[in-house]
């Protein structure tokens, strides 16, 4: 993805988030130089990979297959492994109309996916086989706002604003906006986007960046190269 396109997406996403009455934390708006200057103070933000995340899954077709995310807060895997401390995470996402977030599951993370506003969020579901692999003939069980729902293979949930689904490891899912763009909330156990996204197809989690202009704000994938 071109950095100029990423900067445009950040601006548009910030506008949409404010439109629905949400606000991002102050570090969201730090310049790269300001982030460098405050890297010691912001060590948890960096280590937990909180912040801007814009991906085309390495396919170069963001409008067709991509996702905007902002990680608001996140614990560390060490907390989750010992069963104490900050064992949770929270994100805001934007799924644009007909923009696919492709079929995947998680080995560790359980998550609530919440339609926070906009159009209908479609979530397509499949279950796992006995080895945790994608199974086109398996269903499973999710919870819709706390109500049990047994789903069949390939079932498509349609979540209106305010509705949510709880997904656990082994629930394979893809999602997109139907009829317009959707602001999504995600509340989960500790989030590890580097190792805990298991895709059905061999695709990348992060975009490759063409630096055609300076970054407006750093992506989480920039932290290692910019901040160490």
């Amino acid at each position: 993805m071109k950095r100029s396109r990423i900067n445009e997406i950040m601006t548009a996403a910030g506008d949409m988030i404010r439109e629905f009455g949400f606000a991002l934390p102050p570090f969201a708006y730090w310049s790269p130089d300001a982030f460098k200057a405050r890297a010691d103070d912001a060590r948890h933000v960096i280590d937990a990979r909180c912040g801007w995340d814009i991906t085309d899954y390495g396919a170069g077709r963001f409008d067709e297959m991509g996702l905007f995310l902002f990680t608001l807060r996140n614990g560390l895997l060490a907390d989750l492994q010992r069963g104490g401390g900050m064992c949770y995470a929270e994100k805001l996402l934007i799924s644009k109309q007909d923009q696919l977030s492709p079929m995947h599951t998680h080995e560790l993370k359980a998550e609530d996916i919440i339609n926070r506003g906009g159009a209908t969020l479609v979530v397509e579901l499949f279950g796992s086989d006995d080895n945790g692999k994608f199974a086109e003939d398996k269903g499973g069980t999710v919870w819709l706002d706390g109500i049990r729902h047994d789903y069949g293979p390939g079932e498509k949930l349609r979540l209106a604003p305010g509705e949510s689904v709880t997904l656990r490891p082994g629930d394979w899912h893809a999602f997109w906006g139907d009829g317009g763009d959707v602001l999504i909330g995600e509340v989960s156990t500790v989030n590890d986007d580097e190792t805990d996204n298991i895709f059905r197809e061999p695709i990348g989690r992060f975009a490759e960046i063409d630096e055609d202009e300076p970054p407006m704000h750093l992506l989480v994938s920039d932290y290692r190269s910019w901040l160490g």
Side-chain angles (χ1 to χ4, degrees):
M1 295 182 70
K2 290 185 179 296
R3 183 69 72 169
S4 56
R5 176 71 173 126
I6 289 170
N7 289 341
E8 291 173 357
I9 293 167
M10 282 182 173
T11 300
D15 291 343
M16 182 175 180
I17 289 168
R18 286 188 292 272
E19 177 185 343
F20 286 100
F22 290 87
L24 297 178
F27 74 84
Y29 300 107
W30 291 354
S31 68
D33 286 342
F35 221 136
K36 282 184 179 180
R38 299 199 62 180
D40 288 344
D41 294 338
R43 181 48 52 188
H44 178 80
V45 170
I46 297 165
D47 290 346
R49 296 174 71 83
C50 298
W52 302 91
D53 184 1
I54 296 166
T55 184
D56 63 358
Y57 300 99
R61 298 179 285 111
F62 177 79
D63 290 335
E64 299 171 36
M65 187 170 74
L67 190 63
F68 165 88
L69 313 93
F70 190 98
T71 301
L72 295 158
R73 66 201 84 251
N74 192 19
L76 301 175
L77 284 176
D79 291 331
L80 189 62
Q81 289 163 350
R82 70 183 178 86
M86 190 176 181
C87 296
Y88 56 89
E90 181 187 10
K91 293 182 180 181
L92 283 175
L93 299 78
I94 295 174
S95 188
K96 299 183 70 64
Q97 180 172 346
D98 300 324
Q99 181 189 44
L100 177 67
S101 183
M103 189 64 63
H104 65 287
T105 191
H106 308 286
E107 292 184 339
L108 294 176
K109 184 171 74 170
E111 58 188 335
D112 282 6
I113 302 295
I114 310 148
N115 186 334
R116 291 295 192 192
T120 298
L121 179 64
V122 179
V123 182
E124 183 179 20
L125 297 171
F126 286 89
S128 296
D129 64 19
D130 292 340
N131 296 314
K133 305 296 185 182
F134 177 88
E136 62 182 10
D137 61 344
K138 298 286 188 182
T141 301
V142 294
W143 277 258
L144 301 176
D145 297 306
I147 307 302
R148 179 185 174 119
H149 176 79
D150 297 324
Y151 66 85
E155 183 173 339
K156 296 180 178 65
L157 305 177
R158 297 180 60 84
L159 303 180
E163 295 181 330
S164 70
V165 58
T166 300
L167 304 171
R168 288 175 167 78
D171 292 323
W172 289 84
H173 52 285
F175 56 86
W176 59 90
D178 183 39
D181 300 345
V182 185
L183 181 65
I184 304 167
E186 178 184 307
V187 177
S188 73
T189 48
V190 170
N191 178 80
D192 177 12
D193 279 323
E194 292 196 29
T195 65
D196 195 29
N197 287 284
I198 315 302
F199 292 99
R200 182 185 180 188
E201 303 297 336
I203 58 176
R205 170 59 180 82
F206 298 101
E208 295 183 8
I209 310 298
D210 175 2
E211 303 288 358
D212 63 327
E213 70 179 38
M216 181 168 62
H217 308 296
L218 296 182
L219 298 170
V220 294
S221 56
D222 291 323
Y223 290 169
R224 189 167 288 119
S225 58
W226 280 79
L227 306 174

